[in-house]
Amino acid sequence: MIWASWSDFFSMGGYGFYVWGSYLVAFACIAGEIALVFNRKRTLLKHLSLIHESTKEEKRNETTS
Amino acid sequence: MLPVQPIGCNSLNMSLWVIQRDLLLAMRRRADVLTTLFFFIIVVSLFPLGVGPEINMLRTMAPGVVWVAALLASMLSLGRMFSSDYLDGTLEQMLLSPQSLSMLVLGKALAHWLVTGVPLVLMSPVLGLQYDLSTEALLVLTASLLLGTPVLSLIGAIGAALTLGLRGGGVLVSLLVLPLYIPVLIFGAGAVEASAAGLGAGAHLSLLGAFLLVSLVLAPWAAAVSLRISME
Amino acid sequence: MAINWFNYSSPASFYFLAGKMIPPFTIAATILFAVGLYIGFFVAPTDFQQGEAYRIIFIHVPAAWMSMFLYVMMAIWAGIGLAFNTRLSSMMATAIAPTGAMFTFLALWTGALWGKPMWGAWWVWDARLTSELILLFLYIGFMSLQAAIDDPRRADKAGAVIALVGVVNIPIIYFSVKWWNTLHQGASVSITQSPKMATTMLTGMLIMSIACWMYAIAVILMRTRTIILERERHTAWVGELQGATK
């Protein structure tokens, strides 16, 4: 373990702002991208299920009327 | 309908015919030609107002400014390359013609160059004087523009063909095509700077010539493929 | 034994195949990220020249490699889609673009944050950083062209043409920018003499690159599945899928 203490680790030899700045943005980009993909799929599935519901409704009306 | 009937209908005559036809159409709407030229002049004249009249700085900036203005001017008029034919349906007829579509697109691109590129080339020495360029630098600037502007039209033809009939096509074509213009810009502006620094512009101009030859061969083919895709 | 190349090229069968492939890649990515970061921060020694700031390399270099690698992959899939008219290949190309653009932005961001302590400037017109910026423009051009075209088939093919034209131009752009950079700035500021890579640094960087690669595969497969659903919404198998989940 080359770091004396946790605070030493976070200060990163004085360059903490730059190192953590880049790693935080990296983590944010990755997390953001995953969230976007999941969101896109969720809205699509919701949209598809609405269509599915309405088509089932129409079929039921046609058969009953 | 046309004053001169195409003689033998091989591909070369086809592209010559397209050039002649487009020049004829351009001459009828002379305003379009002048708008591009005036845009070029205004943009080049704007920089000293923004940057200040200090002559040494202007002299070093001149090639870059003139080249970026030429890039923007030729790109603005890219939309018109196919749109008028696309709207009135002649483009579909052209697609059906037995001659090779690439030669036709080559004709279109060269016509676009004649209408927009050549006026810029002729005007650039005058604008160079505005930036107090030496006569030798002016010569190299004009030569680099003469070699570079056809490349802009040829690569632009691909962008114009891809964005045919799209809403917001004008802005989109600039997004597609500007990254591809960067090598031409670097060596075009670099030629003048190298000659000013005494290194001689031979290397730059020959590279611009290489870009021209490569794009003369590849760009029409790629634009033809793009046209077929857009017109499906 | 004739290999049936086109067995998995039908979107329906690929949808389920991709579904099975995503978990292993996600697990591999998380493990490799953990190991890579551990090596990067706890095993790799302090660099005598740059102190601790060099640790940004463990995310900067993998992101730059991935951005170029993904652009080439995008162009290959787009080319296959254009040549063989296989819709799935074009869907893959469309799915790769956002991840590639993300890695390019990441490479630029971490490059700027690394440049500030090292050379005192957020942005250095170095050949590689400039080419990375132009690569970002190429990605944005591809994505905006595909977004502007409504008909998916035309969007795929138009995207394929611009991707192929772009990939042909990348070496030209890189060498002209490199040539332009050396002419103006000379070698005063250059990343070429990167710190002599101690083995642990190198292994850390390689592990992080593979981790980014695994991550990219997982995300791209997820996005491809979504695109497949979007484009096959009218087909029967999506209907059944829909009915099954209800």
Side-chain angles (χ1 to χ4, degrees), chain B residues 162 164 167 175-176 193 204, chain C residues 141 144 148 154 157 176 179 184:
Chain B
L162 281 174
L164 202 57
R167 58 195 181 318
L175 209 58
L176 295 182
E193 213 193 306
H204 301 254
Chain C
S144 47
R154 177 183 168 186
K157 296 189 173 185
S176 47
W179 193 88
H184 287 282

Side-chain angles (χ1 to χ4, degrees), chain A residues 1-3 9 12-13 15 17-23 25-26 29-30 33-34 37-38 40-41 44-45 47-49 52-53, chain C residues 15 37 41-42 44 50 52-53 55-56 58-59 99 102 106 109-110 113 116-117 215 222-223 225 227 229-230 233 242-243 246:
Chain A
M1 247 298 272
I2 42 174
W3 303 106
F9 172 72
M12 198 53 78
Y15 295 114
F17 169 70
Y18 303 110
V19 174
W20 300 119
S22 40
Y23 277 91
V25 166
C29 285
I30 290 175
E33 192 179 18
I34 294 174
V37 171
F38 271 109
R40 181 173 172 177
K41 184 157 190 185
L44 175 71
L45 287 179
H47 179 64
L48 282 180
S49 63
H52 190 70
E53 288 308 319
Chain C
Y15 181 83
L37 287 176
F41 281 105
F42 296 102
Q50 300 190 6
E52 303 302 345
R55 293 185 193 278
I56 299 177
F58 294 113
I59 190 72
T99 309
M102 186 275 287
L106 210 55
W109 175 270
T110 49
L113 254 71
K116 181 68 178 140
Y215 159 74
M222 273 195 262
R223 192 175 290 118
R225 275 161 60 96
I227 294 175
L229 277 184
E230 271 163 16
R233 63 178 74 193
Q242 203 48 48
K246 200 37 73 218

Side-chain angles (χ1 to χ4, degrees), chain C residues 121-195:
Chain C
W122 289 108
W123 178 257
V124 170
W125 285 98
D126 171 74
R128 277 173 295 193
L129 281 180
T130 317
S131 317
E132 196 73 35
L133 184 64
I134 299 168
L135 185 62
L136 183 63
F137 297 151
L138 289 175
Y139 272 117
I140 291 169
F142 177 84
M143 289 192 283
S144 47
L145 176 64
Q146 292 217 320
I149 303 175
D150 304 326
D151 159 29
R153 295 190 66 76
R154 177 183 168 186
D156 288 349
K157 296 189 173 185
V161 169
I162 203 67
L164 290 170
V165 168
V167 89
V168 164
N169 272 287
I170 282 183
I172 301 171
I173 290 174
Y174 178 68
F175 285 116
S176 47
V177 165
K178 198 170 180 55
W179 193 88
W180 162 81
N181 176 271
T182 44
L183 174 76
H184 287 282
Q185 218 164 355
S188 63
V189 171
S190 78
I191 316 180
T192 40
Q193 325 109 356
S194 60

Side-chain angles (χ1 to χ4, degrees), chain A residues 52, chain C residues 237-246:
Chain A
H52 190 70
Chain C
W237 70 274
V238 172
E240 284 143 28
L241 198 71
Q242 203 48 48
T245 51
K246 200 37 73 218

Side-chain angles (χ1 to χ4, degrees), chain B residues 22-34:
Chain B
D22 274 14
L23 286 182
L24 203 62
L25 287 176
M27 283 312 125
R28 288 202 189 119
R29 281 180 280 98
R30 209 178 298 279
D32 292 353
V33 178
L34 295 182

Side-chain angles (χ1 to χ4, degrees), chain B residues 116-205:
Chain B
T116 51
V118 170
L120 304 192
V121 173
L122 299 180
M123 185 51 81
S124 59
V126 175
L127 294 176
L129 292 181
Q130 228 181 5
Y131 284 70
D132 183 33
L133 281 177
S134 67
T135 48
E136 201 231 344
L138 282 179
L139 273 178
V140 173
L141 177 67
T142 321
S144 67
L145 275 169
L146 192 64
L147 278 172
T149 38
V151 181
L152 303 183
S153 299
L154 284 162
I155 299 178
I158 303 176
L162 281 174
T163 57
L164 202 57
L166 295 181
R167 58 195 181 318
V171 179
L172 191 59
V173 85
S174 59
L175 209 58
L176 295 182
V177 152
L178 273 180
L180 308 178
Y181 280 175
I182 286 171
V184 179
L185 170 65
I186 286 176
F187 288 109
V192 186
E193 213 193 306
S195 77
L199 300 168
H204 301 254
L205 294 178

